[in-house]
Amino acid sequence: MKKMLIIFMRDVKVNKRDFISLYILIVPIIFGIVINLIAPGVNDTTINIALIEGENIEMQEYLKDFAKISVYKDKAELEERVARRDEVFAYVPDGDGYYILQQGDELEGLLDYAKMMLAFYEDDVQIEDSTAEIHDFGRINPPLKRLLLNIMMMFTAILGGMLIAINIIEEKIDKTIRAIHITPISRTGYILGKSIIGAILPLYGSIGLLLITGFSDINWYQMMVLIVVSMVVSILFGFIQGINNTSVMDAAGSVKMLFLPLGGAVAVAELLSDKWQWIVYWIPFYWTYKGVDEILTYQSSWQNTLIYGGIVVGISAVVYILLIPKIRKGLE
Amino acid sequence: MIKVKGLNHSYKKDGKYAVNNVNFEVAEGEIFGFLGPSGAGKSTTQNIMTGLLQLQEGEVTVAGYDVKHIKNEMFNQIGMSFEQSNVYSKMTAKENLDFYRKLFDVETREPQDLLDLVGLGDKGNIRAGEFSKGMKHRLTFARSMINNPTLWFLDEPTTGLDPSIAADIKDIIRRENKKGVTVFLTTHNMYIADELCDRVAFIVDGDIKLIDSPKNLKLQYGEQLVEVEYIKDGDVVKESFSTIKTEDKNQLKDIIDKYEIQTMHTKEATLEEIFIKVTGRGLK
């Protein structure tokens, strides 16, 4: 175990000196922040209203609880803003009232919402006037955020594999594997030592992503099962890439090929009906995606989690058994 | 220290052997040279002895360990300097040695001492990737001593080094050997073998053709010669004469009497010449 850690610590030390490796090590954190920035929360409004600055302060205050308000100097600026590509409605003063200015290609539902908001303001309707009771499932995270998080967690597993590949390629370029084999560390110990960095990235990357994006109240035990399963994929992928490539750029090129099954698995899971799901049953990412999605939507069960995890381990084991001779030869 | 009996190895397992019925023994404290041209089977034999290649046929014992069932602890006792330098280019010289020393379970040498020994004492904090080929080779050589090996495999230890550094390396090998370290030297450089080895084995096409000490080989196969350059009819003539054959001795006397001698020196047969004589092959 001590020698495995020595191998791992060497990899960490060298990876910190390499830009690509360093980038891979910190990218899960960047992913988490980016997801938070681009995915809307449940409290985010879906309508943008433009007003003339200072024209009606009271209206501006009223509307800001229900819409994203932006203000402009005069009518000309207001018109210019509305004419841009995104969906913005302007309330333009007209005599005693207002007219709504739009481009013309906005969604009808949004226009209705803009009309209603104006009517509510004119009739001085307040939230307290509503008698509706709110019942919910306690979900606080929107589907887009969930989707991005799930994809990024799988991507983190690929990056973990990439780190292993980079370290193996380094050993191949420097021809140091033979020197390691003339030391008392066993080949299994060496392989496991080399695997640690690729296993840790999906672990800390996934946990980091979940915490940064606000999914802290999930079933962590079930999630850990799927994260550990992702580590297996990561290690296997890392050794395959490391052994089959002679330069980091070659390995990076091969990684692109993996985005096809990853993207395909997500697309099929999200877009195709149940009768077509079998098309991607062979892709491990499909099962991790399904499992993680159930956990993120609070619909998971231990039975399903273990089945999905078992399938991924099973597929990985088959691939590993087929590739054992090649992996051994590559590490000689 | 090393026993090899009936060693055969076929890379494709198709009956074509890279080494064929190789037998030899290396005694403790000996410097044993394994000589042969490229592709002769030197590296294959060495790789089997060090566990880098799996033993297929035959019996091989290294430092008391059966290579068929190799134990990791065997590597505490052996060191290996590779022909092609193989150090981590993104790590400094000192970090390279520090990393390797931690992988052994025996007392190891101080990295700085080893760097001083091979003339890299002031280069310890420079990344190996910035080293010249010769410096990398010296670092690889230094690394092979980190665990105080009792059996030291050296593959072309002076290749690519300038003469003064090569001389230093040879001195280090002699010093370590005097301490009791057994050396298995693989080379196609007959001069270093002649200088260092107690015994040498000639291997060609996977077969060991001969094993003996350089001195015995010279006595057995070599011929004492005198090489003379003299002026005859205005031209410089160069000839060699045996110091044993009467006819040659008389001819030499005659030349000394009649002509102006420019240079004259005795010439001993080199290991390379003996190798060619015995195997019918050159060493390149």
Side-chain angles (χ1 to χ4, degrees):
Chain A
M1 188 64 196
K2 188 185 149 204
K3 285 173 190 164
M4 284 186 241
L5 286 175
I6 292 166
I7 301 269
F8 165 63
M9 290 312 293
R10 191 217 74 88
D11 286 347
V12 172
K13 182 183 266 185
V14 170
N15 289 153
K16 282 194 296 185
R17 292 175 183 171
D18 179 74
F19 174 74
I20 296 177
S21 309
L22 188 62
Y23 168 73
I24 289 173
L25 283 170
I26 60 167
V27 84
I29 307 300
I30 299 171
F31 281 160
I33 295 166
V34 169
I35 290 171
N36 273 350
L37 288 176
I38 62 175
V42 279
N43 293 324
D44 289 348
T45 181
T46 51
I47 187 167
N48 296 298
I49 303 288
L51 301 170
I52 293 173
E53 191 176 7
E55 185 273 326
N56 188 340
I57 302 290
E58 188 195 339
M59 182 192 216
Q60 196 176 321
E61 283 298 311
Y62 178 85
L63 291 173
K64 77 175 185 189
D65 289 337
F66 313 105
K68 189 174 178 187
I69 307 296
S70 52
V71 292
Y72 300 90
K73 204 168 67 187
D74 51 30
K75 193 179 166 189
E77 270 194 21
L78 208 60
E79 285 173 354
E80 190 198 333
R81 177 66 191 90
V82 173
R84 279 189 222 157
R85 209 172 147 193
D86 56 346
E87 300 201 318
V88 175
F89 299 92
Y91 293 163
V92 187
D94 182 25
D96 291 339
Y98 289 86
Y99 66 85
I100 295 174
L101 179 66
Q102 63 162 355
Q103 266 182 302
D105 60 353
E106 286 80 359
L107 291 172
E108 203 175 319
L110 285 179
L111 177 61
D112 290 344
Y113 185 35
K115 278 184 192 169
M116 269 198 287
M117 289 233 294
L118 188 57
F120 286 163
Y121 168 70
E122 285 170 345
D123 292 342
D124 194 25
V125 177
Q126 299 296 326
I127 289 174
E128 297 77 31
D129 297 334
S130 170
T131 55
E133 280 183 40
I134 308 297
H135 295 253
D136 64 32
F137 294 108
R139 309 269 167 80
I140 54 165
N141 290 300
L144 178 63
K145 197 174 200 177
R146 223 170 48 230
L147 175 80
L148 289 173
L149 172 63
N150 201 337
I151 292 171
M152 288 309 167
M153 282 174 66
M154 289 191 285
F155 192 62
T156 305
I158 292 177
L159 289 179
M162 189 65 196
L163 264 189
I164 295 177
I166 286 172
N167 288 314
I168 290 175
I169 289 166
E170 182 212 355
E171 301 254 14
K172 281 169 79 176
I173 291 171
D174 289 336
K175 301 183 187 73
T176 41
I177 295 178
R178 284 157 66 82
I180 291 286
H181 290 332
I182 310 284
T183 67
I185 186 164
S186 66
R187 291 191 187 195
T188 310
Y190 170 70
I191 290 172
L192 291 174
K194 276 276 161 209
S195 306
I196 296 175
I197 196 159
I200 280 186
L201 188 75
L203 178 69
Y204 102 85
S206 298
I207 293 172
L209 277 165
L210 287 162
L211 293 176
I212 292 169
T213 51
F215 285 88
S216 53
D217 58 344
I218 51 166
N219 186 327
W220 281 98
Y221 298 109
Q222 289 174 357
M223 186 57 89
M224 284 312 293
V225 169
L226 292 178
I227 290 174
V228 169
V229 161
S230 295
M231 289 176 181
V232 174
V233 176
S234 179
I235 292 167
L236 189 62
F237 161 71
F239 275 92
I240 292 170
Q241 291 300 325
I243 281 155
N244 285 330
N245 292 289
T246 49
S247 78
V248 174
M249 294 321 287
D250 286 348
S254 304
V255 168
K256 288 180 195 162
M257 293 299 291
L258 265 183
F259 293 135
L260 195 63
L262 192 153
V266 175
V268 169
E270 287 295 331
L271 303 173
L272 293 191
S273 62
D274 283 352
K275 70 174 182 175
W276 293 110
Q277 298 286 308
W278 59 270
I279 295 171
V280 288
Y281 279 179
W282 59 278
I283 303 174
F285 295 122
Y286 171 76
W287 300 104
T288 46
Y289 179 80
K290 265 177 87 82
V292 169
D293 191 58
E294 285 183 11
I295 294 170
L296 296 179
T297 51
Y298 310 93
Q299 291 170 345
S300 60
S301 66
W302 271 110
Q303 190 187 7
N304 277 2
T305 304
L306 291 174
I307 288 172
Y308 299 151
I311 292 171
V312 175
V313 171
I315 295 169
S316 304
V318 170
V319 174
Y320 179 70
I321 289 164
L322 291 174
L323 291 174
I324 281 178
K326 206 168 181 183
I327 290 175
R328 279 204 180 143
K329 198 161 187 284
L331 292 175
E332 273 179 3
Chain B
M1 191 55 109
I2 298 176
K3 279 183 191 169
V4 175
K5 200 174 164 190
L7 177 66
N8 293 311
H9 192 88
S10 170
Y11 281 98
K12 291 181 180 170
K13 296 182 180 171
D14 57 356
K16 289 180 184 169
Y17 289 101
V19 289
N20 189 18
N21 193 28
V22 164
N23 297 280
F24 65 90
E25 285 189 16
V26 179
E28 201 171 331
E30 189 177 16
I31 301 185
F32 187 84
F34 210 51
L35 316 181
S38 302
K42 301 189 300 284
S43 298
T44 305
T45 308
Q46 185 172 259
N47 287 343
I48 292 167
M49 287 191 291
T50 52
L52 289 173
L53 268 180
Q54 203 164 15
L55 174 64
Q56 291 173 354
E57 290 174 38
E59 293 168 25
V60 178
T61 312
V62 170
Y65 292 92
D66 182 359
V67 169
K68 188 92 184 168
H69 310 286
I70 218 155
K71 285 183 179 165
N72 291 329
E73 64 200 48
M74 178 183 97
F75 297 106
N76 284 319
Q77 289 197 43
I78 68 171
M80 173 141 182
S81 179
F82 294 84
E83 179 182 7
Q84 283 186 310
S85 47
N86 51 359
V87 289
Y88 291 107
S89 51
K90 288 177 186 163
M91 292 167 86
T92 67
K94 214 182 257 181
E95 285 170 344
N96 263 284
L97 297 181
D98 259 331
F99 166 65
Y100 276 96
R101 78 188 297 201
K102 288 178 194 158
L103 297 175
F104 290 95
D105 309 312
V106 288
E107 198 179 328
T108 51
R109 290 170 82 155
E110 278 302 317
Q112 187 58 49
D113 293 348
L114 287 174
L115 291 173
D116 289 337
L117 200 63
V118 296
L120 295 173
D122 57 341
K123 305 281 190 289
N125 293 321
I126 296 174
R127 287 191 194 177
E130 294 170 30
F131 278 9
S132 68
K133 208 174 161 186
M135 287 159 81
K136 279 185 192 169
H137 196 80
R138 278 186 275 164
L139 182 57
T140 305
F141 180 79
R143 188 189 60 205
S144 69
M145 288 186 275
I146 196 101
N147 57 322
N148 293 304
T150 52
L151 174 57
W152 198 13
F153 290 92
L154 300 174
D155 195 353
E156 306 288 359
T158 57
T159 299
L161 300 180
D162 68 55
S164 72
I165 293 167
D168 290 344
I169 295 291
K170 279 185 271 187
D171 281 344
I172 295 168
I173 296 169
R174 281 192 200 98
R175 281 205 301 272
E176 292 298 311
N177 177 244
K178 269 186 188 162
K179 287 187 211 165
V181 175
T182 308
V183 180
F184 187 89
L185 175 72
T186 307
T187 185
H188 61 257
N189 182 335
M190 291 291 166
Y191 297 102
I192 180 178
D194 200 0
E195 281 180 71
L196 294 174
C197 296
D198 298 313
R199 285 192 307 144
V200 293
F202 289 171
I203 182 167
V204 174
D205 296 332
D207 287 320
I208 289 189
K209 302 289 183 189
L210 171 155
I211 301 177
D212 212 333
S213 68
K215 192 180 168 187
N216 283 346
L217 288 172
K218 283 174 189 172
L219 284 173
Q220 197 179 343
Y221 294 96
E223 201 174 4
Q224 288 288 337
L225 297 171
V226 173
E227 214 167 65
V228 187
E229 269 186 3
Y230 60 95
I231 309 284
K232 185 182 176 184
D233 303 330
D235 294 325
V236 178
V237 179
K238 189 177 175 183
E239 280 188 272
S240 294
F241 299 97
S242 166
T243 56
I244 301 158
K245 291 176 189 165
T246 315
E247 190 189 339
D248 277 25
K249 281 174 49 191
N250 290 337
Q251 268 188 24
L252 181 62
K253 259 191 232 167
D254 199 34
I255 285 166
I256 293 168
D257 290 342
K258 284 184 185 170
Y259 304 105
E260 183 193 335
I261 304 295
Q262 281 208 315
T263 63
M264 182 166 74
H265 42 252
T266 54
K267 186 172 172 282
E268 196 179 46
T270 62
L271 263 186
E272 184 158 5
E273 284 164 345
I274 296 168
F275 186 92
I276 293 166
K277 203 169 182 178
V278 171
T279 66
R281 292 273 300 272
L283 278 163
K284 302 295 176 196

